[in-house]
Amino acid sequence: MDIPGFPGEGEEDLMEATALLGWEDPDEAFRSQNDVDLSCGDFPDEGVDLAPDESGPLLRCLKRIYRKGKKEKTRRRRTITSVPDLSAMATIWEENENPGCPDEPERFLVSWRSTMDYFNHKKEDGVMKKSFLRFLSILSKTINWNNMTEFFLDNFTSDLVGAITEMVKKEPPEPTSICLYAMTTIIDLSKRHITKAMGSYKKGILLRTFFKSVFSLSPLKTAPEEGGTDVSNFQYTKGLFIGTYQTFSEMLQQLMLENPVPSELERILQLMVSWLQSSEADQRERAIWSCASLLNFVASKVKLDTMSKFSRLGHLVAVLGTCCGDLVKSISSKAAKSVHLLLSVVLGQKIAKLDQKSMHSEIIRRKHKEFLESWNPQVFLKNPSRVAEVFGVYFSPRERTDFILTALDGLTEHCSSVSTTEGLLAGMARHCGAEIEKVSDIMDGICSRLDLIRRPSARRLVMKLVGFMASKTQHLDTVISALLEHSFPPDSNASELWRSLSTEEAVEEQLLENLLARLQRQQSVEQQTTSQSIALTQALYDVISVPDSKEPLQRLYPELLMVLLAELHLSLQTEALPDSGSLRKQCGRGGSLSR
C-alpha cells in the first residue's frame, strides 16, 4: 500500500532535500561544517512571505517543502495494496551519512522562530502539517545537534512538542496519515537523541498524546462485500490502521534505544497504566499488546544500564498481575507474557551486573534460563497470585509497598478484577510478609481506601493484612499509631479495624496494654481532654466491645477502670467542647479541647 509519504523519497528527492537547506548537490551535505553555507539563495515563494534576509535557512527549507507539497497534492493519486511501506517514511538520509551543520546557533534560533511564525500562520492547512513534519525529519538528519546550544534545544523542543501535540489532538479518532507521520518524525529525532534532550516532562506530554490517539482509535468496520465500491477505501484504512500500530511500536522501541535505562522503560509503561485499566476491552487489548511488544524488544535487543535501578517496579508488576486475570482471553494471555518478559528483563539486568564482576557467569546464565522456563507465561495465566511469589523476593521495601498499595487500589468497587487482586495481595503477604516494611505508608493506604472496598472477601483480606503486620512486634506500635490518626473524628472503618485487631490472638493483649499506656501517658501530660485522648478512648471502646477480648480485659480491669474514670473526670471539667470542625483541626496534634 502506498500511503502518501513525505515529499522527497528516493535518491532523486534526496538530492533535492539537500538543496532545500542550501547545498548545490548532495556531496556538499557531507562536507565539514566550516564548508557549509545554508544561507545561499532562495527561490521565489508563493504569496507574501518574509524577506530573504529575515527568513534564514530553516524557514526557506520549510517554504520549499510546502510549495512542493502543494504542487504534488494536485497530481498525487492514492494506490491501494496491502500494507504501508513504513521503511520509506522512516528517513531521507542513509545511516552512514553525516550532514554538516552551520556554526551559528544564534542565527539558527532566529530562523527557527521565523519558521514557527510561518507554520503557525498556516497550521490548519493539511499540506503544511505534513510539510512541517517532513521538515523536522530533514533537520534531524542535517543539523549537527552537538553544536546547538542548550537554549536553542530548549526552544526547539518546546515548540516541537507544542506543535505536534496540537496537531495530533485535532485528528479524528480514526487512522490518519498525520499521526503516522508525526510518530515517524519522532523516530527520526530520537535517532539523533533530540527526544532525550526534551526531558521527561515534555516527552511525557508527547507520549500521552500519542497513546490517546492510538489506543482510542475507532475499531475497523466490517469488510464490505467483494466488488463493492467501498472495498478500496476499506483496504486503505486497514493498511493505515496496521501502519499506525507498527510505527507506534517502532517509536517506543527507538525511545528505548535512545535512552536504555530502567527509568525510561518504567516511564513509558507507567503512561500505559490508565489504558491497561480502562473499562473498554479494546483499549486494554491495544495497551497490553503494546506493552508486551516493548518488553519483548527490551528483553531481546536492549542492554539496560546496569548502574541504574527500577524505581516503580512494584506498581508495574501489580498492574500486569491484575491484567493476568482479565476476562478477555487475549488480554490475560498477553499480560502473562508481559509478566514473564518483565521478569526476564529484571533478571537480565542482575546477571549483567554479575558479568561485570566475572562471578560464575556461565553457571548463572544457565540457571537463569532454567528459572525462566519454569516460570513460563502459563504459570501466571493459570494462577496470577504467583506473580507476587516470584517477584516479591526481588522487591526493595519501597517496591513491595508500591505493590501492596496498587493491589489495594484494585480492591476498590470500581475495579473489575477484584478476585485476581485479592490473590496478588494474599500472595505477597504469604510469601514476603516477613519483609514488609514501610508499614506506616501501608496503613495510611488501607485507611484511606477502606471506604471504597465494599466486597466482603476483600475487606476480610485487608483486615488479615493489618493483623499480620501488627503481629510483628517491631510493627505493632506503628500500626496502632497509624490507626489512631484515622480514629478521630470517630469512623466506622477505623472501628472495624480496631475490632478486627482485637480478635487476633497474637496481639490482643499487647494491643490493650499499648492503648492503655498511651492514654495514661496522655493524661499525665495534658490535664484536659484532647483529640488524642478521645481517639484512644474510642479505640479502647472498640477493642473491649469484642467478646473475644474478655480474658485480657479481666487482667487489666483495675487499671482500665481508673484511666477511664480519670478521662471522664477530665471531660466533665471541660467547660464546652468545640464543634467537630475545630476538633478535626486538632486531630493528630494532641491539641487541648478546653477553652
Side-chain angles (χ1 to χ4, degrees), residues 82-84 86 175 180 220 237-247:
S82 56
V83 179
L86 300 173
L180 191 148
L220 283 174
T237 303
K238 180 181 178 181
L240 191 57
F241 194 94
I242 295 171
T244 297
Y245 275 96
Q246 290 176 343
T247 309

Side-chain angles (χ1 to χ4, degrees), residues 473-485:
T473 306
Q474 70 271 26
H475 296 325
L476 177 60
D477 200 64
T478 304
V479 171
I480 292 175
S481 296
L483 264 180
L484 284 172
E485 291 182 5

Side-chain angles (χ1 to χ4, degrees), residues 151-427:
F151 184 68
F152 174 82
L153 286 174
D154 183 59
N155 278 267
F156 177 80
T157 55
S158 295
D159 292 338
L160 164 75
V161 170
I164 293 181
T165 299
E166 181 181 0
M167 199 182 298
V168 174
K169 282 183 176 179
K170 290 184 177 181
E171 292 299 296
E174 57 189 35
T176 65
S177 58
I178 292 297
C179 182
L180 191 148
Y181 294 161
M183 291 187 290
T184 301
T185 299
I186 296 302
I187 293 174
D188 286 344
L189 291 167
S190 178
K191 288 179 179 179
R192 296 300 179 267
H193 299 276
I194 306 306
T195 56
K196 186 177 180 180
M198 289 180 184
S200 58
Y201 177 72
K202 295 177 189 174
K203 192 188 297 185
I205 293 175
L206 200 60
L207 287 178
R208 286 188 185 93
T209 303
F210 283 125
F211 285 0
K212 184 174 182 180
S213 175
V214 173
F215 295 152
S216 298
L217 287 177
S218 302
L220 283 174
K221 298 178 181 179
T222 306
E225 296 181 3
E226 290 293 333
T229 57
D230 294 331
V231 172
S232 60
N233 287 335
F234 173 80
Q235 291 297 331
Y236 177 80
T237 303
K238 180 181 178 181
L240 191 57
F241 194 94
I242 295 171
T244 297
Y245 275 96
Q246 290 176 343
T247 309
F248 177 69
S249 180
E250 290 174 13
M251 180 186 70
L252 298 183
Q253 292 172 7
Q254 176 55 43
L255 292 176
M256 283 306 307
L257 290 174
E258 179 189 23
N259 190 23
V261 295
S263 60
E264 183 72 5
L265 177 61
E266 284 185 315
R267 187 178 299 116
I268 295 173
L269 296 179
Q270 287 287 348
L271 294 174
M272 291 187 191
V273 167
S274 60
W275 299 99
L276 291 170
Q277 298 173 333
S278 171
S279 58
E280 300 292 332
D282 58 337
Q283 293 180 358
R284 296 200 306 276
E285 187 169 12
R286 293 167 184 173
I288 197 62
W289 182 90
S290 298
C291 178
S293 175
L294 180 62
L295 284 170
N296 183 58
F297 177 78
V298 173
S300 59
K301 301 290 180 62
V302 180
K303 290 185 178 181
L304 294 179
D305 179 22
T306 56
M307 300 304 293
S308 303
K309 296 181 179 180
F310 288 94
S311 60
R312 295 296 309 277
L313 186 61
H315 175 68
L316 288 175
V317 172
V319 171
L320 291 175
T322 302
C323 291
C324 290
D326 199 289
L327 298 178
V328 180
K329 188 176 180 180
S330 59
I331 296 176
S332 59
S333 60
K334 277 292 183 183
K337 178 66 174 177
S338 297
V339 171
H340 181 260
L341 290 167
L342 182 57
L343 179 62
S344 176
V345 170
V346 172
L347 293 182
Q349 192 191 30
K350 294 183 180 295
I351 290 175
K353 290 181 181 179
L354 296 176
D355 282 347
Q356 293 176 348
K357 302 177 181 179
S358 300
M359 297 175 61
H360 312 291
S361 57
E362 288 302 321
I363 298 175
I364 293 173
R365 286 181 182 279
R366 187 175 68 252
K367 290 185 176 294
H368 170 241
K369 183 178 180 181
E370 294 172 354
F371 180 80
L372 287 177
E373 289 175 352
S374 64
W375 288 94
N376 59 73
Q378 287 301 314
V379 173
F380 306 123
L381 186 60
K382 292 178 181 178
N383 188 358
S385 66
R386 303 202 69 183
V387 172
E389 177 184 347
V390 68
F391 272 97
V393 296
Y394 300 107
F395 283 160
S396 66
R398 180 71 261 173
E399 290 169 344
R400 200 171 288 116
T401 301
D402 285 342
F403 182 95
I404 292 173
L405 294 177
T406 304
L408 288 171
D409 286 331
L411 297 179
T412 54
E413 59 181 346
H414 66 274
C415 296
S416 58
S417 302
V418 176
S419 58
T420 302
T421 311
E422 287 181 17
L424 290 172
L425 192 57

